[in-house]
Amino acid sequence: RKDVVTFEQQLPTLLEKFPNQFVAIFDGRIIDHKESWRDLVESTQQQFPGKFVFIERVVRKTEAVVDMDTLEG
């Protein structure tokens, strides 16, 4: 959970520094980033064997908009 919060708080900065890349967060710290998910997973497994490392792609979040007037039911 701490790593998800870190990602959300750092997203504006991450979008500037690493747009469309994958970032790895461990114990609330950004530890690595790469364009390839596979390369990042391999790197983090070497750095932190047996540990869970949060990995997420750095993209803008979009909001879902539902027009209730158009829904039938």
Side-chain angles (χ1 to χ4, degrees), residues 36-54:
S36 164
W37 177 85
R38 185 181 304 265
D39 291 345
L40 187 56
V41 168
E42 289 175 4
S43 173
T44 57
Q45 285 179 344
Q46 289 175 1
Q47 294 177 62
F48 300 94
K51 302 286 184 181
F52 175 80
V53 175
F54 178 78

Side-chain angles (χ1 to χ4, degrees), residues 23-63:
V23 294
I25 302 175
F26 181 75
D27 197 27
R29 295 180 300 117
I30 298 164
I31 57 169
D32 202 353
H33 64 93
K34 298 201 183 308
E35 290 186 17
S36 164
W37 177 85
R38 185 181 304 265
D39 291 345
L40 187 56
V41 168
E42 289 175 4
S43 173
T44 57
Q45 285 179 344
Q46 289 175 1
Q47 294 177 62
F48 300 94
K51 302 286 184 181
F52 175 80
V53 175
F54 178 78
I55 295 177
E56 185 66 66
R57 186 172 209 140
V58 179
V59 293
R60 293 194 186 281
K61 291 188 177 186
T62 57
E63 294 183 29

